[in-house]
Amino acid sequence: MKNIVIMLFAALLAAGCSVNPFETAKNNVENSKKLRIGMTKAEVLAVMGEPVKNEAFHRPDIWFYYFNMNWGDGFITEDECFPLVFENGKLAGWGNMYYTRTRLENKNRVPNIEFPDKKQNKEGKQK
């Protein structure tokens, strides 16, 4: 019986320590009021804390922060986050409108790739 009580207490304690999505969203919205254009990534981390981290959201110059629960499925989706956009290591802007405008402006930007002038065969020798 004593073991059951201890396990029940530990389970309740663990449940109380879980992250409350509403509190996280509220904190992120409040902290976003302190953001300023030109802040470094370190300064943003000090204000906002860690961004959402997973394959879909982890991009080097775009950080996502949770702000609104649209779905009760336990997953964080892009429409539940607001993006922060960095250029050259400095905060350039944030919010979905800024992010969308940046993506549209950069969609036609071609990366600087050098192509060989002459075709090469399988051994790497020029034809």
Side-chain angles (χ1 to χ4, degrees):
M1 179 69 177
K2 183 178 178 182
N3 288 339
I4 293 173
V5 172
I6 291 172
M7 288 174 49
L8 181 61
F9 178 74
L12 289 173
L13 183 63
C17 295
S18 65
V19 176
N20 180 344
F22 297 108
E23 193 66 30
T24 300
K26 179 182 168 192
N27 289 338
N28 285 341
V29 170
E30 285 302 312
N31 290 339
S32 71
K33 295 175 184 177
K34 301 172 190 171
L35 295 175
R36 300 291 176 258
I37 300 295
M39 293 176 82
T40 65
K41 288 182 177 184
E43 291 170 329
V44 171
L45 275 176
V47 169
M48 295 295 299
E50 287 290 324
V52 173
K53 299 254 183 185
N54 69 29
E55 266 184 52
F57 294 111
H58 188 67
R59 300 174 186 157
D61 290 324
I62 301 167
W63 292 357
F64 289 90
Y65 287 89
Y66 180 74
F67 82 100
N68 185 28
M69 184 189 317
N70 292 335
W71 312 101
D73 58 5
F75 295 104
I76 296 176
T77 57
E78 191 171 316
D79 63 332
E80 297 175 320
C81 296
F82 66 93
L84 277 62
V85 180
F86 294 88
E87 292 177 9
N88 300 318
K90 304 275 184 171
L91 184 61
W94 60 90
N96 288 320
M97 288 179 63
Y98 186 85
Y99 173 60
T100 301
R101 186 175 60 233
T102 301
R103 285 182 59 190
L104 289 172
E105 289 171 357
N106 293 325
K107 77 175 186 172
N108 293 325
R109 186 170 28 174
V110 178
N112 188 13
I113 301 173
E114 293 184 26
F115 295 101
D117 292 335
K118 298 180 182 179
K119 292 184 179 182
Q120 296 181 349
N121 62 18
K122 290 181 182 178
E123 291 85 30
K125 297 179 184 175
Q126 290 183 348
K127 292 183 177 180

